[in-house]
Amino acid sequence: MIIETKYFTPSEAIKTLPLVRKIVEDILNTTKEMRLYAEDVNSQIENDPFIKKMAESVEGFIKELEEIGCFYKDWNFTIGLVDFPSVIEGKEVLLCWRSDEETIKFYHDMDSGFAGRRPIPEKYLDF
């Protein structure tokens, strides 16, 4: 099944932030709990039912983000990084948000990632 990419304007992406922020919070809290539990049991965590259940929860949260049209990008599960497909200056880009940021102010090219973040041009922000 081919899923069509949803492109967000910066204001559309910002409108999703209350829900996205909550889902990212759930991801970060669950993965933190998993790490703490894994330190406590210090054994065969791959087969641990509690770890499996929490991993399934995280997968579900990530799927929720994908259903909104954005993508979770923080595979260390420390800062809660989310990308939103967009078009700026006629180019496909990713609006980039971190869970410690109040709103979406940055974007990067499809292939440059977080390190290539730059401010969204004012004309694309309709405030």
Side-chain angles (χ1 to χ4, degrees), residues 3 8 11 14 16 30-31 42 58 72 99-100 104 110 125:
I3 298 173
F8 292 84
S11 62
I14 288 166
T16 71
T30 304
T31 55
N42 207 6
V58 171
Y72 191 79
S99 64
D100 62 352
I104 300 170
M110 299 299 257
L125 301 170

Side-chain angles (χ1 to χ4, degrees), residues 59-73:
E59 286 173 22
F61 297 141
I62 291 170
K63 195 176 199 99
E64 280 183 66
L65 290 174
E66 291 170 356
E67 287 168 4
I68 293 167
C70 54
F71 304 97
Y72 191 79
K73 296 291 183 169

Side-chain angles (χ1 to χ4, degrees), residues 4 28 34 39 97 105:
E4 193 172 314
L28 294 176
M34 287 171 74
E39 287 173 13
W97 174 77
K105 296 180 186 171

Side-chain angles (χ1 to χ4, degrees), residues 70-86:
C70 54
F71 304 97
Y72 191 79
K73 296 291 183 169
D74 171 26
W75 303 117
N76 292 323
F77 301 101
T78 55
I79 58 168
L81 190 62
V82 178
D83 285 342
F84 299 78
S86 188

